[in-house]
Amino acid sequence: MCYGKCARCIGLSLVGLAVLCIVANILLYFPNGETKFASENHLSRFVWFFSGIIGGGLLMLLPAFVFIGLEQDDCCGCCGHENCGKRCSMLSSVLAALIGIAGSGYCVIVAALGLAEGPICMDYLGQWNYTFASTEGQYLLDTSTWSQCIEPQHVVEWNVSLFSILLALGGIEFILCLIQVINGILGGICGYCCFRQQQYDC
C-alpha cells in the first residue's frame, strides 16, 4: 500500500468537502435567496457559529494541503536513510489530521444542535421564536408541523436540508481525518513504501 498516495487522495477529497461546507454554510444566511433575514438577525443562532465556514471549511484546508504534499515531502532526511524524511512527514501528518478532526467535529456538533433546535421563524401570532426548540428534534419526524413557521417561507426545509448536509459532510471529513491518523502512523512506523516505478491506487 502506498501511504503517500492514500494521503493525497484523502487530501483532495477534503478540499472538495471543505468547499461544499463553506457553500452550505453561506446558503444558511440567505433563506429562499433573501438577505433581509440576516440583516434583521432572524436566523438560527447556530448559523452564526460558522461551523461550515471555519470548522468544516477553512480549518479543513490546512490538513488537506498537508496530505496532498506528502508524496513529495521530505522534511528531515537523516543518517543516510532515504526513507527517514518520508517517515517523519507521515508522522507529522497525524498532527494535521488531529486539527482536521477538531474542525470536522465542531462542524458536526453545531450542525446537530442546529437541527435539534430548529430555525427561528415567525409563527401565526406574528412573533419570532424558536418554534420547535421544545420538541427536542422530534419535529424532524413530523413534517406536518413545519407549516407553523410562516416566515421565512420554507425556512424549516431550508435549515434542515443545509444543516443535514453540513452534518453529513462533517462526518465524512471526520472519518477521512481519522483514516489519515492511522495511515500516518502506519506510514511512519512501517516506512514510506511508495516506489516511483510502481503505481498504486489508494
Side-chain angles (χ1 to χ4, degrees):
M1 177 182 181
C2 180
Y3 301 109
K5 283 187 177 296
C6 187
R8 179 178 174 81
C9 289
I10 292 174
L12 291 173
S13 299
L14 288 177
V15 170
L17 291 169
V19 171
L20 291 176
C21 279
I22 292 173
V23 172
N25 198 154
I26 291 175
L27 288 175
L28 279 169
Y29 291 98
F30 309 106
N32 302 321
E34 299 181 58
T35 61
K36 65 177 183 178
F37 302 108
S39 61
E40 295 171 357
N41 198 26
H42 287 153
L43 297 176
S44 168
R45 58 177 175 166
F46 290 108
V47 174
W48 301 104
F49 282 37
F50 305 107
S51 61
I53 295 175
I54 296 177
L58 299 179
L59 201 58
M60 197 57 57
L61 293 177
L62 172 61
F65 290 131
V66 169
F67 301 159
I68 291 172
L70 280 178
E71 271 193 302
Q72 290 77 34
D73 203 2
D74 188 3
C75 70
C76 58
C78 58
C79 304
H81 295 287
E82 182 180 353
N83 286 337
C84 181
K86 299 294 185 182
R87 292 178 181 179
C88 172
S89 298
M90 292 302 295
L91 288 173
S92 66
S93 74
V94 174
L95 296 177
L98 292 176
I99 294 175
I101 286 176
S104 59
Y106 175 68
C107 182
V108 167
I109 291 171
V110 173
L113 291 173
L115 280 172
E117 185 174 64
I120 185 172
C121 62
M122 180 187 293
D123 58 21
Y124 285 110
L125 300 177
Q127 297 179 335
W128 288 89
N129 53 49
Y130 290 94
T131 306
F132 307 107
S134 60
T135 67
E136 298 181 349
Q138 293 301 313
Y139 79 96
L140 294 170
L141 304 176
D142 187 4
T143 57
S144 63
T145 63
W146 294 5
S147 60
Q148 295 178 33
C149 282
I150 306 302
E151 193 172 341
Q153 291 184 359
H154 309 297
V155 67
V156 181
E157 292 92 330
W158 189 267
N159 269 38
V160 169
S161 298
L162 292 174
F163 273 127
S164 295
I165 289 173
L166 285 175
L167 183 65
L169 294 176
I172 296 172
E173 289 176 338
F174 186 91
I175 293 171
L176 289 176
C177 288
L178 191 60
I179 290 173
Q180 180 53 33
V181 169
I182 299 171
N183 182 52
I185 292 174
L186 290 177
I189 295 176
C190 301
Y192 190 91
C193 61
C194 184
F195 299 94
R196 291 183 179 179
Q197 65 269 26
Q198 294 177 313
Q199 298 293 325
Y200 294 96
D201 293 323
C202 70

